[in-house]
């Protein structure tokens, strides 16, 4: 199966890799700490990643939003880049 993803800019790539290398959902604040990018950038870029074809799964716990990349997408991506 071919992945249909619009190319990512440098900041989007950094956030993608932060999410890609984590198995559990992350809050925007956790992404901010891991990536070293400002919270305002994280919010915008997660939406941008989704718009570019990266399937972002969202969940809420204790009124806080958590996001992660779809595990099935990770499997396809890993095969595609081999």
């Amino acid at each position: 199966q071919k992945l249909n993803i619009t190319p990512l800019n440098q900041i989007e790539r950094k956030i993608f890799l932060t999410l890609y290398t984590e198995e559990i959902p992350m809050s925007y604040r956790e992404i901010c700490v891991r990536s070293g990018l400002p919270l305002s950038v994280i919010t915008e870029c997660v939406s941008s990643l989704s718009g570019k074809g990266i399937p972002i799964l969202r969940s809420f716990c204790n009124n806080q939003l958590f996001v992660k990349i779809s595990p099935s997408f990770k499997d396809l991506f890993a095969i595609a880049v081999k």
Side-chain angles (χ1 to χ4, degrees), residues 8-78:
L8 307 179
N9 66 35
Q10 186 176 357
I11 294 171
E12 291 166 341
R13 256 185 261 130
K14 190 169 192 172
I15 293 173
F16 172 81
L17 289 173
T18 301
L19 289 170
Y20 186 83
T21 55
E22 189 59 55
E23 293 298 318
I24 60 172
M26 299 176 73
S27 70
Y28 283 175
R29 189 158 307 283
E30 290 171 319
I31 298 168
C32 177
V33 170
R34 293 259 178 99
S35 68
L37 296 168
L39 192 57
S40 59
V41 171
I42 305 301
T43 307
E44 184 179 317
C45 279
V46 168
S47 293
S48 181
L49 288 173
S50 185
K52 289 186 172 186
I54 311 285
I56 303 290
L57 302 178
R58 292 169 171 81
S59 58
F60 283 91
C61 182
N62 296 326
N63 291 326
Q64 188 171 11
L65 176 64
F66 291 85
V67 295
K68 73 176 194 174
I69 295 175
S70 164
S72 58
F73 173 82
K74 282 183 169 186
D75 293 343
L76 283 174
F77 186 79

